[in-house]
Amino acid sequence: MKITKTGILPRWAVGYLAALLLLAVSNGYSVWKLHQLGTTTIPNLSTDIRIIDLQRRMVDSILSQLRYEQKYLLLRDPGLYSQFVEANDEFHRLLGTVELIANSPAKKNSLEKIETSVASYESVVNEQANRLKEGRRYNFWSYQTEKTEASDNILKELKGLEQHARDDVERKMSMATEAGRSAPRIAFAALVVSLLSALSMAFLITRSITRPLTKLVNKTKEISRGVFKSNLRIDSPPEIAELSRSFNSMCDKLSEVDTMKNDFLSMISHELRTPLTTIREGASLLLEKVAGEITQKQERLLTILVDETNRLIVMVNSILDLSKMEAGMMSYSFEEADIGPLIDKAVTEITPLLEAKKIRLEKEFAGDLGARKIDEARILQAVRNLIANAAKFTHEGGRITVSARASMGSLEISIRDTGPGIPPERLSTIFEKFSGSDHKRGTGLGLAIVKHIIDVHGGRVWVESEVERGSTFTFVLPS
Ligand SMILES: Nc1ncnc2c1ncn2[C@@H]1O[C@H](COP(=O)(O)OP(=O)(O)OP(=O)(O)O)[C@@H](O)[C@H]1O
Ligand SMILES: [Mg+2]
């Protein structure tokens, strides 16, 4: 199964199962270790302890046999002989039990040697007892030496058996201690490893889902800024890949509609410009009484006609300018020029409106601004748009400050007003066309045109504003 083809739900399911499996394995390992301790080491330990106990009883039994057999040789009492036989039977029973539970080759080897020594001890004792019963002669000291040798061998091998059992007890005890000590360590390490693995798995799975989601969010922001590029590439998970394909086709459609709209607007504007200019010129001529005297009422109507036609011409020109700028078809001519006179010109143009609204305009030019390579007509258009906005939106009796200063080779122009300000949520999109314009007071193209012009000059334009306190539009032209 290819991970890129795996859906969100199976990803989570596989992740959680793998984490659970890891936890189960680590717990299982600790439990298995403890189980091993309980089923192998501890029972083995009790067998060895039992062997030590049986060995002690076998030593007692051998010593009893020696005692009864010595007394019988001295006193010739048959009762003593039967006690010897009883102790001997007891010894064989104990030996049989130990043989059944002996749990190491060394112990089994000792038991074989014990058996051989016991057999030779018994044959010497029986031979001597038979000779005694039958009243035959025999060499007491030679029997005594053989018996002592055999019984010493038995005791020596019993000692060896005990030593083997003790060694095993010691070894298993230290194994159990070591296992007891290492069990919590192993359990803790396994827990840490499985927790870390589960966390990294959760992180990787979550990231494999959130990454494409972040791409989608960024694309949405791009679309909201009017960029309709269908370049979203998301291959996985399949659900989001499908969504990204829908996004791309939506972008294609939006960009198609956007181009259609721009083409339509520029076509209509172009077609409107000539008749509008003709209407304005005709109305102006009528106002100038070229065609004869006019009444006061006709003069008022003609003035409205000229003003409205002018407004329409400005709007049509803005639409055409922006269309050309967006299509990269606007031609610019850069020449050395001073910016001061351009600002003065824009201010002079707006003076009638300023006077009508009783707005005070102040100029703050800091030192020599110097000439620089600019497209005069376009920079004038930008300054005009910014000052016109300040004049249009500032309340009656307000103040506009136009400041210019050269710093570190670049030129900074600011237009500050005491107008209504711009809400923070609109600031990031204010330079986009039709961004929240109320259509009664303008087309909503002025700032978009300003941005295009400043960008073409390699500069930067921005706004700082506080609601009810005013706005400051600033642009910087590089040296
Ligand atoms: N100095 C300002 N003070 C307050 N709001 C402003 C200011 N300048 C611009 N705005 C806000 O930004 C919007 C966009 O300005 P822009 O100049 O692009 O369009 P417009 O002035 O509405 O129309 P146009 O300039 O095309 O005639 C305006 O409608 C207004 O809401
Ligand atoms: Mg404007």
Side-chain angles (χ1 to χ4, degrees):
M1 184 168 55
K2 236 177 128 185
I3 182 79
T4 50
K5 297 259 179 280
T6 315
I8 296 174
L9 192 66
R11 273 179 204 212
W12 278 110
V14 167
Y16 276 117
L17 278 180
L20 283 176
L21 201 72
L22 270 169
L23 272 172
V25 166
S26 71
N27 279 341
Y29 179 71
S30 313
V31 170
W32 175 69
K33 272 275 172 201
L34 288 173
H35 175 76
Q36 231 188 3
L37 195 69
T39 54
T40 326
T41 316
I42 293 172
N44 258 337
L45 202 63
S46 60
T47 306
D48 284 311
I49 291 168
R50 189 148 172 241
I51 290 175
I52 292 171
D53 178 51
L54 290 167
Q55 180 269 354
R56 244 185 235 135
R57 284 162 65 189
M58 278 155 81
V59 170
D60 287 349
S61 161
I62 279 292
L63 293 177
S64 304
Q65 285 179 58
L66 283 172
R67 229 175 18 253
Y68 290 133
E69 167 249 318
Q70 289 298 338
K71 280 189 189 161
Y72 171 66
L73 288 181
L74 286 175
L75 305 173
R76 318 258 162 111
D77 176 359
L80 287 167
Y81 186 72
S82 13
Q83 275 179 311
F84 164 79
V85 173
E86 247 174 58
N88 185 259
D89 288 346
E90 165 75 0
F91 182 85
H92 278 285
R93 226 178 32 255
L94 293 170
L95 189 62
T97 314
V98 178
E99 274 169 346
L100 276 179
I101 60 172
N103 55 0
S104 77
K107 285 174 208 149
K108 283 182 182 149
N109 191 27
S110 290
L111 287 170
E112 271 170 28
K113 287 184 182 159
I114 291 169
E115 244 178 281
T116 320
S117 305
V118 165
S120 67
Y121 170 70
E122 282 169 356
S123 83
V124 179
V125 172
N126 287 336
E127 174 74 23
Q128 199 181 11
N130 285 341
R131 280 181 185 269
L132 212 70
K133 271 186 209 155
E134 290 160 13
R136 282 193 278 147
R137 284 174 55 82
Y138 69 97
N139 187 339
F140 176 82
W141 292 114
S142 105
Y143 275 111
Q144 206 61 23
T145 318
E146 276 180 48
K147 266 189 322 196
T148 313
E149 198 182 322
S151 62
D152 281 355
N153 275 343
I154 297 169
L155 289 171
K156 194 178 96 200
E157 290 309 329
L158 278 171
K159 190 85 202 137
L161 178 70
E162 185 197 8
Q163 194 53 49
H164 291 316
R166 279 192 190 285
D167 287 350
D168 280 356
V169 166
E170 208 168 297
R171 196 165 47 79
K172 280 161 198 166
M173 282 294 280
S174 65
M175 264 169 68
T177 315
E178 182 49 35
R181 254 195 233 131
S182 62
R185 270 207 313 264
I186 292 170
F188 182 70
L191 192 72
V192 168
V193 167
S194 49
L195 271 179
L196 283 181
S197 316
L199 278 178
S200 21
M201 212 137 45
F203 172 73
L204 288 176
I205 290 171
T206 311
R207 204 180 56 160
S208 78
I209 295 165
T210 52
R211 249 193 188 172
L213 280 179
T214 313
K215 276 192 190 173
L216 268 180
V217 170
N218 289 341
K219 187 72 203 167
T220 323
K221 284 185 187 155
E222 230 178 54
I223 293 174
S224 75
R225 284 202 308 271
V227 182
F228 306 128
K229 275 195 221 146
S230 57
N231 57 353
L232 197 57
R233 298 276 166 270
I234 298 173
D235 304 322
S236 128
E239 295 89 339
I240 302 180
E242 180 64 37
L243 196 59
S244 81
R245 282 192 285 279
S246 307
F247 252 76
N248 282 339
S249 59
M250 183 178 80
C251 281
D252 284 339
K253 279 269 175 300
L254 282 172
S255 127
E256 220 173 275
V257 172
D258 200 44
T259 316
M260 270 167 65
K261 183 200 73 193
N262 285 345
D263 291 352
F264 178 74
L265 274 179
S266 53
M267 192 264 285
I268 293 286
S269 309
H270 194 77
E271 293 302 314
L272 280 176
R273 198 149 60 164
T274 319
L276 280 175
T277 318
T278 314
I279 294 168
R280 186 186 57 185
E281 292 312 314
S284 298
L285 287 173
L286 286 175
L287 253 182
E288 286 163 20
K289 300 172 186 159
V290 175
E293 280 306 313
I294 49 171
T295 62
Q296 263 193 347
K297 201 173 175 185
Q298 285 169 336
E299 192 178 334
R300 238 185 8 256
L301 284 172
L302 282 170
T303 311
I304 295 171
L305 203 63
V306 171
D307 286 351
E308 289 302 300
T309 321
N310 261 333
R311 214 167 67 82
L312 276 175
I313 290 172
V314 168
M315 186 191 287
V316 162
N317 282 339
S318 293
I319 293 173
L320 280 173
D321 281 349
L322 193 62
S323 302
K324 275 196 214 159
M325 284 171 183
E326 283 182 340
M329 287 164 71
M330 176 66 89
S331 54
Y332 297 90
S333 75
F334 291 90
E335 271 164 37
E336 287 282 331
D338 275 338
I339 200 139
L342 290 182
I343 297 175
D344 289 338
K345 195 169 175 200
V347 171
T348 313
E349 282 174 14
I350 206 79
T351 308
L353 178 61
L354 297 179
E355 280 172 0
K357 288 180 81 176
K358 297 190 185 66
I359 294 172
R360 206 169 70 229
L361 189 139
E362 286 166 5
K363 280 189 282 184
E364 289 176 357
F365 289 1
D368 179 22
L369 301 179
R372 52 200 67 225
K373 254 192 157 39
I374 53 170
D375 182 322
E376 267 188 279
R378 295 297 148 212
I379 292 293
L380 174 62
Q381 191 179 5
V383 175
R384 191 189 277 142
N385 283 358
L386 293 175
I387 296 182
N389 276 353
K392 184 161 61 171
F393 296 108
T394 301
H395 312 294
E396 242 178 65
R399 196 176 66 245
I400 298 174
T401 313
V402 182
S403 46
R405 67 186 178 104
S407 89
M408 302 213 298
S410 57
L411 189 63
E412 192 179 294
I413 316 287
S414 286
I415 291 102
R416 192 166 74 241
D417 63 51
T418 54
I422 302 160
E425 66 275 10
R426 285 190 59 207
L427 287 177
S428 60
T429 55
I430 201 85
F431 289 99
E432 287 163 22
K433 57 185 173 183
F434 309 121
S435 69
S437 165
D438 60 14
H439 302 297
K440 281 193 201 120
R441 304 169 80 182
T443 334
L445 298 176
L447 289 179
I449 292 174
V450 170
K451 181 155 169 45
H452 265 286
I453 294 170
I454 303 303
D455 283 351
V456 162
H457 282 78
R460 206 161 65 84
V461 58
W462 70 93
V463 59
E464 290 148 292
S465 185
E466 229 179 290
V467 175
E468 300 303 335
R469 312 244 356 217
S471 317
T472 308
F473 284 83
T474 310
F475 68 85
V476 171
L477 294 177
S479 49

